[in-house]
Amino acid sequence: MLLAQPIYFSPNFPTLTKKTTFRASLQPHKNFPPLRVSPMPKPLGVRARIKTLSVPFQKKGGVQICHSLKKESDVGGNDGRDWTTSFLLFLLWAALIYYVFFLSPNQTPSRDTYFLKKLLNLKGDDGFRMNEVLVSLWYIMGLWPLVYSMLLLPTGRSSKNSIPVWPFLILSFFGGAYVLLPYFVLWKPPAPPVEETQLKTWPLNFLESKVTALISLVAGVAIIIYAGLAGQDVWTEFYQYFRESKFIHITSIDFIVLSTFAPFWVYNDMTARKWFDKGSWLLPISLIPFLGPGLYLLLRPSLSAVAISQTPVEPK
């Protein structure tokens, strides 16, 4: 009794390695060499696993953030970035917290309390004139959380974990970079997709508005000009405050850290909107504290425009 054996065809076609010319004819070929197919031996204890990568079509009205597709071996498992980056950011945050609580100058705690009450308008006019540079630093630190909210929502969210970004952004109005750095440690790109209908609701409609970007940029320019017009004695006084006051010292460091990380989030938002080819000239400008990121937020394309121009048509 004859048993049928499975026949395996090799995808590399070893029998067709040599160049062969075929002629189309209505007559059968008599001397055509027979095709010899040998059965392939069954592999011993080895399973062939084929990985398929399926890219679904986007539905109309959806915006896909972070369009890069990588193999698991390229990104080290399921994480969107190397763990060493998160570890180094954690070390930076821990070092800053240690410095703030144990190493920063604290020679004038009573004066710091007085300055804070004056800046919060909790103390009336007593004839004391606040330092113009200190006042400018205080108000521009109130604009930085708005700029970071416009950069992180929605393109800076995490899709690899369930940690939301909005609690960190709200707390950054009080803690600045000292609150945002833990989110940078936990951030796992890429960002989840955003529906176009969500862009028309709060808070994305406010953060994507060009009016919001223009107001924040104009306010930042006015604050910087106000500080720049201060005399040399005012800057000398501020530097003395920086050396003595814990409040002014850690606020100045906060401004430096926010200015340092802003160009990265500008780049992240720019690539998510597929605007790198046209807007790459803004990356060097984003190194300018506050003014560079503010100018980018004013000139960047809206996510709704990206959705209309780049969403593929779903096949019928």
Side-chain angles (χ1 to χ4, degrees):
M1 183 176 180
L2 298 177
L3 296 178
Q5 296 183 353
I7 304 301
Y8 297 89
F9 290 91
S10 173
N12 297 326
F13 296 99
T15 58
L16 299 180
T17 55
K18 298 182 179 180
K19 295 183 179 179
T20 306
T21 304
F22 297 95
R23 296 181 179 178
S25 176
L26 296 178
Q27 297 181 359
H29 296 277
K30 296 180 180 181
N31 297 326
F32 192 85
L35 179 63
R36 299 177 60 185
V37 181
S38 59
M40 182 179 295
K42 186 176 181 180
L44 299 177
V46 178
R47 295 182 179 179
R49 184 175 61 179
I50 302 176
K51 293 184 179 180
T52 60
L53 178 63
S54 59
V55 181
F57 284 90
Q58 285 184 328
K59 295 182 179 180
K60 188 176 181 180
V63 183
Q64 181 67 36
I65 309 300
C66 285
H67 306 270
S68 59
L69 297 176
K70 296 182 179 180
K71 297 180 181 179
E72 293 182 0
S73 60
D74 295 338
V75 296
N78 294 326
D79 295 336
R81 64 174 181 177
D82 193 0
W83 65 271
T84 55
T85 305
S86 298
F87 180 71
L88 292 176
L89 287 174
F90 174 77
L91 290 181
L92 174 62
W93 175 75
L96 285 175
I97 295 299
Y98 182 82
Y99 179 82
V100 165
F101 283 99
F102 300 104
L103 300 179
S104 60
N106 191 19
Q107 301 177 13
T108 58
S110 59
R111 190 175 64 184
D112 290 351
T113 304
Y114 174 78
F115 282 168
L116 187 58
K117 289 181 179 179
K118 290 285 288 184
L119 292 172
L120 292 174
N121 294 323
L122 299 179
K123 201 171 187 63
D125 187 9
D126 53 1
F128 179 79
R129 182 173 181 176
M130 292 290 294
N131 184 277
E132 288 83 352
V133 180
L134 174 58
V135 174
S136 301
L137 177 65
W138 172 260
Y139 282 109
I140 205 168
M141 291 304 297
L143 292 176
W144 265 123
L146 177 61
V147 170
Y148 267 86
S149 298
M150 299 173 72
L151 289 175
L152 295 177
L153 285 176
T155 58
R157 297 180 302 164
S158 297
S159 61
K160 298 294 184 179
N161 53 37
S162 57
I163 300 176
V165 64
W166 62 265
F168 298 90
L169 293 174
I170 293 177
L171 293 176
S172 67
F173 282 91
F174 307 95
Y178 305 106
V179 176
L180 286 177
L181 275 175
Y183 178 76
F184 298 167
V185 174
L186 301 173
W187 179 56
K188 301 294 182 183
V194 180
E195 295 295 333
E196 192 174 358
T197 55
Q198 296 177 351
L199 299 176
K200 301 178 181 179
T201 59
W202 174 266
L204 293 183
N205 58 349
F206 173 76
L207 298 176
E208 287 287 323
S209 173
K210 297 298 182 183
V211 177
T212 306
L214 179 61
I215 293 176
S216 61
L217 179 60
V218 171
V221 171
I223 292 173
I224 293 176
I225 292 177
Y226 178 74
L229 294 178
Q232 183 179 358
D233 55 339
V234 177
W235 282 94
T236 303
E237 183 185 34
F238 176 80
Y239 177 70
Q240 187 66 27
Y241 289 160
F242 176 80
R243 296 179 57 185
E244 299 174 352
S245 169
K246 178 184 284 289
F247 166 62
I248 298 176
H249 193 87
I250 64 177
T251 305
S252 301
I253 295 177
D254 189 6
F255 177 82
I256 294 174
V257 174
L258 291 175
S259 303
T260 303
F261 280 93
F264 169 78
W265 293 108
V266 168
Y267 169 77
N268 178 75
D269 187 79
M270 183 183 299
T271 53
R273 297 170 189 267
K274 291 186 176 293
W275 199 54
F276 182 79
D277 294 336
K278 296 182 179 180
S280 58
W281 61 275
L282 285 170
L283 288 178
I285 299 179
S286 66
L287 297 174
I288 304 175
F290 191 86
L291 298 181
L295 180 62
Y296 165 76
L297 292 174
L298 181 63
L299 299 180
R300 68 178 180 177
S302 62
L303 283 176
S304 58
V306 175
I308 294 174
S309 62
Q310 300 199 15
T311 302
V313 180
E314 185 176 2
K316 297 181 179 180

